[in-house]
């Protein structure tokens, strides 16, 4: 952490709890790399204090904050302006403070697509199949649709996928039980459920119908190589791990707050990944 001065730029991440957040480490790396006169802090804000805390940060001259659970919806209500990205994703993860006004964005979907491109995968290669219908799935569906990609979704609880399809048309809903057969009609598979995460059973899927040109993305990043990615790799499919999305989604906020557009590279990946080893 650099010695701060009276002109240091300040940002952070609001969460409850916030101890698990990777964002201070990630932004701290970029601040050091670019020798920026600024700081990015963990801000433990209880739900009942959210509005007071954000108003206080605006009043104290912060540039903005990231917002993580459980504040992603409350963050909507406090914004003067909400970007289309946040409206479509149904959540705000990045707040930008300017002249006493608050703008809300959602950078998760952008981060996912930027990571795909950074991994050499063209999101527009063909239709995408999304597994899962939680908050991350919604942001990814919206971002892929914004790229003009036809998107299908399958979720264990079909009603949740149908709800998403009503919010983000045109979105084709498939039966969870058809997920393996449906691979044949898609160029990209995106897994967003908790299956395969450390302590959870692997996702059950049969990749034998996957086209050989298919790219398989998993948003789980503990472990980095999930059983799904290991199986996809064994079949010679291109694999995209979950850490990249976490790194890329941080770029727009950093750029707004600190005035420099940072890069995701191997050094950053190693730095953040080294903190994940052995994690539960
Ligand atoms: P988020 O944090 O992205 O909002 P979430 O709301 O916790 O995620 O949802 C997690 C996703 O994992 C959901 O799509 C969930 O499916 P349901 O809607 O049916 O609950 C999915 N999920 C969790 N456990 C699962 C399992 N054992 N098999 C298949 N899907 C599962």
């Amino acid at each position: 952490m650099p010695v701060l001065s009276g002109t240091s730029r300040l940002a952070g991440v609001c969460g409850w709890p916030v101890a698990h957040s990777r964002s201070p480490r990630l932004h701290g790396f970029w601040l050091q790399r670019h020798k920026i006169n600024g700081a990015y802090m963990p801000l433990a804000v209880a739900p009942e204090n959210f509005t007071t805390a954000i108003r206080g940060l605006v009043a104290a001259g912060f540039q903005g904050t990231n917002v993580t659970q459980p504040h992603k919806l409350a963050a909507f209500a406090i914004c003067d302006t909400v970007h289309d990205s946040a409206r479509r994703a149904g959540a705000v993860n990045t707040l930008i403070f300017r002249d006493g006004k608050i703008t809300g964005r959602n950078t998760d979907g952008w981060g996912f697509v930027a990571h795909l491109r950074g991994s050499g995968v063209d999101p527009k290669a063909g239709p995408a199949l999304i597994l899962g219908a939680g908050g991350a799935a919604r942001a990814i569906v919206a971002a892929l649709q914004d790229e003009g990609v036809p998107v299908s979704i399958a979720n264990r609880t079909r009603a949740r996928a149908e709800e998403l399809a009503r919010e983000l048309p045109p979105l084709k809903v498939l039966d969870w039980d058809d997920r393996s057969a449906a691979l044949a009609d898609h160029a990209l598979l995106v897994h967003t459920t908790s299956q395969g995460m450390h302590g959870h059973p692997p996702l059950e899927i049969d990749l034998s119908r996957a086209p050989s040109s298919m790219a398989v993305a998993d948003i789980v990043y503990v472990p980095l190589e999930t059983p799904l990615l290991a199986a996809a790799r064994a079949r010679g499919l291109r694999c995209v791990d979950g850490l990249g999305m976490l790194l890329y989604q941080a770029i727009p906020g950093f750029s707004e707050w600190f005035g420099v557009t940072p890069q995701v590279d191997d050094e950053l990946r190693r730095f953040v990944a080294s903190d994940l080893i052995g994690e539960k």
Side-chain angles (χ1 to χ4, degrees):
M1 174 107 166
V3 175
L4 298 178
S5 73
T7 57
S8 299
R9 290 181 176 219
L10 303 177
V13 52
C14 288
W16 187 260
V18 78
H20 65 281
S21 174
R22 311 284 164 212
S23 294
R25 189 169 168 83
L26 166 54
H27 286 273
F29 177 92
W30 282 332
L31 285 168
Q32 274 190 356
R33 171 180 277 179
H34 295 286
K35 301 187 172 51
I36 288 170
N37 177 10
Y40 181 102
M41 287 164 276
L43 303 163
V45 177
E48 63 273 22
N49 294 331
F50 181 72
T51 304
T52 311
I54 294 295
R55 294 276 169 226
L57 294 171
V58 172
F62 268 58
Q63 304 297 318
T65 66
N66 281 126
V67 178
T68 185
Q69 295 306 349
H71 305 308
K72 283 191 175 182
L73 288 178
F76 252 106
I78 206 167
C79 290
D80 297 292
T81 310
V82 177
H83 265 220
D84 218 35
S85 60
R87 217 168 268 123
R88 301 212 346 110
V92 165
N93 74 345
T94 303
L95 295 175
I96 297 140
F97 308 155
R98 287 265 197 292
D99 305 321
K101 299 276 191 238
I102 304 174
T103 299
R105 294 178 60 165
N106 189 300
T107 63
D108 284 334
W110 180 89
F112 176 78
V113 170
H115 175 43
L116 279 186
R117 291 214 162 94
S119 309
V121 172
D122 176 9
K124 299 185 183 190
L129 171 60
I130 315 296
L131 301 181
R138 179 168 172 163
I140 290 169
V141 168
L144 287 171
Q145 288 179 335
D146 289 347
E147 294 285 333
V149 177
V151 184
S152 316
I153 188 165
N155 191 53
R156 178 181 61 177
T157 310
R158 188 182 166 105
R160 262 186 107 187
E162 282 169 351
E163 200 181 314
L164 212 59
R166 278 193 292 277
E167 301 266 351
L168 298 175
L171 176 59
K172 189 172 165 190
V173 177
L174 304 176
D175 262 347
W176 181 246
D177 289 344
D178 293 338
R179 63 193 180 284
S180 299
L183 293 174
D185 307 322
H186 294 87
L188 171 67
L189 173 67
V190 187
H191 173 243
T192 75
T193 85
S194 47
Q195 300 297 89
M197 196 183 283
H198 189 98
H200 293 251
L203 173 73
E204 283 180 31
I205 192 161
D206 172 4
L207 296 178
S208 61
R209 302 282 301 277
S212 58
S213 58
M214 180 175 252
V216 177
D218 202 329
I219 69 158
V220 170
Y221 57 86
V222 181
L224 265 181
E225 177 99 335
T226 60
L228 170 63
L229 291 184
R233 208 177 295 284
R235 299 192 74 85
L237 306 179
R238 278 173 308 159
C239 293
V240 179
D241 70 36
L243 181 60
M245 177 178 171
L246 175 80
L247 305 179
Y248 276 94
Q249 63 75 34
I251 292 177
F254 189 93
S255 158
E256 293 275 2
W257 304 320
F258 299 113
V260 171
T261 302
Q263 298 297 312
V264 169
D265 58 17
D266 282 346
E267 194 188 354
L268 174 68
R269 274 184 64 89
R270 277 194 301 274
F271 181 75
V272 176
S274 66
D275 195 40
L276 303 173
I277 292 164
E279 171 145 347
K280 297 268 176 327

